[in-house]
Amino acid sequence: MLAGALALAGCGSLVPGGGSGAAAGSASRAGSTQASPAARIASAPQSYAPDSAERGCLADLGATGARFQPLPDTYAAPGCNKLGTVQLSALAGDRSTFGVSNLGPVRCGTAKAFSDWARFGVDRAARQILGSPIARIETMGSYSCRNVAGTERRSAHARAEAIDVSGFVLEDGRRIMLRRDWRGGDAATREFLRVVHKSACKRFGTVLGPDYNAAHEDHFHLEGTGGKFCR
Ligand SMILES: [Zn+2]
């Protein structure tokens, strides 16, 4: 009962905003002093509370200006899970907030990389190259319990550690689509797409785009934060 109440308090207080880190910290300290270790272990499967690394990630994500909701952990099939994920609802540019469409649960570290990329890679490039801020990043989703095509290996999508980005809508109304504009757009649009692809490679572990293969002709696959593979 106590642990459940604490977990709920933790989720509520971890929604980004002023003082969220302090609120989360005090909730966790209350938990460590009031619940015995055995009680916390016994309650873990029913009412999971984020560990300190996850709380740190949520605080970092909140500091980017992103709006999000932490989601409960779930396990689906073997190799398919949503652990430490969030639902992003808005991202912050330097001067404005913008949306992200069609995105499901994303693991916090990947969401943090995405939020940083959206601001420093995408929104700034849109203003500098195309003369308009971003209004929305369009995606083809994140979590999906599936294998890498043609293999027995689970895709990073099966752990909610990858996001497929299909396009961008600018505040002036222009819509940029990977499928149409990677090769067919005007010079500025093609430059914009190559700049945001390159900046994604600095922030994500694996980035696959239209030059990788035909399966990626309509989106950027942005995955994790580990070792670098950029195509
Ligand atoms: Zn993908």
Side-chain angles (χ1 to χ4, degrees):
M1 191 62 194
L2 174 62
L6 285 170
L8 287 173
C11 287
S13 62
L14 284 169
V15 174
S20 64
S26 61
S28 74
R29 279 192 298 279
S32 59
T33 55
Q34 292 171 22
S36 73
R40 275 182 284 126
I41 290 166
S43 70
Q46 292 85 31
S47 54
Y48 175 83
D51 65 22
S52 61
E54 286 172 288
R55 285 198 303 273
C57 182
L58 293 172
D60 289 346
L61 180 59
T64 69
R67 286 208 296 271
F68 64 92
Q69 187 70 39
L71 299 173
D73 290 348
T74 61
Y75 297 85
C80 292
N81 58 64
K82 289 172 264 184
L83 303 178
T85 62
V86 299
Q87 178 67 54
L88 283 169
S89 53
L91 300 164
D94 291 324
R95 301 173 196 167
S96 60
T97 298
F98 50 93
V100 52
S101 63
N102 197 38
L103 188 63
V106 178
R107 195 153 186 167
C108 183
T110 303
K112 166 72 164 58
F114 186 72
S115 185
D116 285 337
W117 173 70
R119 179 174 193 158
F120 301 113
V122 179
D123 187 55
R124 286 187 185 178
R127 285 189 282 115
Q128 286 167 12
I129 299 169
L130 301 172
S132 172
I134 288 285
R136 185 169 72 249
I137 296 179
E138 299 188 311
T139 83
M140 300 163 68
S142 48
Y143 174 76
S144 174
C145 182
R146 66 173 191 249
N147 290 349
V148 175
T151 75
E152 299 289 301
R153 197 158 46 84
R154 286 296 191 203
S155 162
H157 287 287
R159 301 181 301 275
E161 289 183 311
I163 299 171
D164 291 337
V165 170
S166 57
F168 307 89
V169 176
L170 305 183
E171 214 170 79
D172 67 10
R174 273 179 285 173
R175 186 172 182 216
I176 297 163
M177 298 161 67
L178 267 284
R179 178 191 293 280
R180 183 189 63 200
D181 295 322
W182 179 258
R183 291 187 184 83
D186 61 32
T189 301
R190 283 186 277 117
E191 183 193 353
F192 165 77
L193 288 174
R194 279 151 186 80
V195 166
V196 300
H197 176 270
K198 195 174 173 189
S199 64
C201 292
K202 293 180 194 160
R203 298 184 182 278
F204 293 92
T206 296
V207 175
L208 307 175
D211 286 347
Y212 178 59
N213 64 14
H216 294 82
E217 68 176 3
D218 60 353
H219 69 276
F220 293 139
H221 170 91
L222 311 175
E223 173 182 334
T225 56
K228 299 293 178 190
F229 185 83
C230 171
R231 290 281 288 278

